[in-house]
């Protein structure tokens, strides 16, 4: 039986493209154009994944997220054309599992949906469910095991690599100076800017091992680094 996805999208042309991509990926998709129809359907039978296109910015646009969380613990992928960094973070803090900015490709939408559901299956499969997992985009950080993963591939991290990446994942798109990345508890005695560059280079290599071609750590000339998800 295919996994169910509820798609809330006010723009019909976008809804059709998204639904077709998800159906090609094997999902059973139901499309909703209004919040009321969407909420009523969730009340009757919650989906495994909800893809919510936010049409308003700020708290008003997140009202639907609060209503959904009262009814279900399904996975939630938020999409928006206009959302500031603070609004994206707020959406994740209020119950969203991932955030995708428009315009996005059908392929990326399908990839994000599959990644979210894989993580849920992995967490529910015995002992890993007790592990503390932090996510940012497609990146999945196992806090207990100090590993980074995308899908089924994992790479172990050193303590310094783990600390640097965890801090960057908690503030996606923020540009971190090398001095910020040296701050406790992200510093070992005697580490320098050159050490930070080395740790970042190692992180890049490990991330590309689990997802070839992914340039997640971007250098900002004269400043430092930012996470691109």
């Amino acid at each position: 039986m295919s996994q169910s996805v509820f798609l809330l999208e006010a723009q019909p042309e976008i809804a059709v493209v998204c639904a077709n991509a998800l159906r090609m990926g094997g999902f059973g998709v139901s499309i909703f154009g209004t919040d009321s129809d969407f909420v009523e359907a969730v009340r009757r039978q919650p989906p495994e994944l909800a893809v919510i296109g936010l049409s308003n910015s700020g708290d008003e646009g997140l009202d639907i997220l609060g209503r959904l969380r009262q009814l279900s613990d399904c996975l939630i992928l938020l999409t928006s054309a206009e959302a500031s960094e603070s609004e994206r973070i707020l959406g994740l803090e209020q119950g969203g599992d991932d955030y995708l900015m428009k315009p996005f490709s059908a392929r990326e939408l399908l990839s994000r949906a599959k990644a979210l559901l894989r993580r849920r299956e992995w967490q529910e499969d015995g002992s890993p469910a007790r592990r503390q997992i932090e996510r940012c985009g497609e990146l999945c950080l196992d806090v207990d095991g100090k590993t980074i993963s995308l899908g089924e591939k994992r790479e172990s991290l050193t303590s310094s690599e783990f600390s640097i990446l965890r801090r960057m994942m908690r503030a996606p798109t923020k540009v971190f100076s090398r001095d910020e990345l040296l701050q406790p508890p992200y510093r070992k005695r005697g580490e320098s800017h050159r050490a930070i560059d080395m740790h970042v280079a190692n992180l890049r290599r490990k991330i590309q091992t689990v997802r070839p071609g992914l340039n997640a750590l971007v250098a900002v000339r004269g400043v430092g680094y930012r996470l691109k998800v």
Side-chain angles (χ1 to χ4, degrees):
M1 184 176 179
S2 61
Q3 294 172 301
S4 61
V5 177
F6 282 6
L7 175 63
L8 176 61
E9 176 55 62
Q11 300 182 61
E13 64 278 9
I14 295 179
V16 169
V17 172
C18 293
N20 287 341
L22 292 166
R23 286 169 180 150
M24 288 291 290
F27 295 105
V29 183
S30 298
I31 301 175
F32 302 90
T34 66
D35 291 3
S36 58
D37 289 343
F38 173 79
V39 170
E40 182 58 32
V42 172
R43 184 177 286 111
R44 291 195 303 268
Q45 181 63 56
E48 288 159 286
L49 170 66
V51 180
I52 301 177
L54 300 178
S55 55
N56 298 306
S57 60
D59 293 340
E60 182 181 355
L62 293 174
D63 284 347
I64 185 63
L65 181 56
R67 295 162 67 188
L68 175 56
R69 274 291 169 243
Q70 291 175 355
L71 298 171
S72 172
D73 64 349
C74 69
L75 293 165
I76 300 176
L77 173 57
L78 302 171
T79 71
S80 177
E82 297 180 2
S84 65
E85 178 181 334
S86 61
E87 288 171 339
R88 295 195 299 274
I89 292 172
L90 181 62
L92 296 172
E93 289 177 343
Q94 292 191 2
D97 295 287
D98 199 358
Y99 216 118
L100 189 56
M101 293 298 297
K102 299 175 181 176
F104 51 79
S105 68
R107 182 179 179 184
E108 182 176 12
L109 172 64
L110 181 59
S111 176
R112 294 285 186 98
K114 287 184 174 179
L116 283 173
L117 288 162
R118 277 198 305 268
R119 291 169 196 154
R120 169 66 61 87
E121 290 170 356
W122 179 68
Q123 290 173 337
E124 291 177 349
D125 184 20
S127 59
R130 297 191 294 270
R131 305 186 77 86
Q132 182 180 350
I133 305 297
E134 296 183 5
R135 300 186 293 268
C136 183
E138 293 184 272
L139 296 177
C140 186
L141 189 66
D142 183 336
V143 175
D144 300 303
K146 288 186 171 53
T147 63
I148 185 70
S149 65
L150 283 87
E152 298 179 355
K153 294 183 178 180
R154 294 187 180 87
E155 276 287 312
S156 297
L157 304 177
T158 66
S159 294
S160 293
E161 292 165 1
F162 170 82
S163 297
I164 290 171
L165 184 59
R166 189 183 192 189
R167 190 177 193 195
M168 297 180 78
M169 286 176 65
R170 288 179 168 180
T173 74
K174 171 181 167 62
V175 178
F176 286 89
S177 69
R178 291 173 176 82
D179 285 333
E180 287 180 297
L181 295 175
L182 280 168
Q183 293 301 308
Y186 308 97
R187 175 180 63 206
K188 288 182 178 178
R189 182 175 298 178
E191 284 197 332
S192 64
H193 286 186
R194 184 180 293 275
I196 293 296
D197 292 338
M198 179 190 69
H199 293 318
V200 170
N202 288 335
L203 279 169
R204 281 176 173 154
R205 176 180 54 79
K206 290 180 178 182
I207 290 173
Q208 290 189 355
T209 297
V210 295
R211 177 60 60 81
L214 178 61
N215 182 25
L217 298 176
V218 179
V220 179
R221 188 172 183 179
V223 183
Y225 300 96
R226 68 178 177 87
L227 186 64
K228 180 181 178 183
V229 296

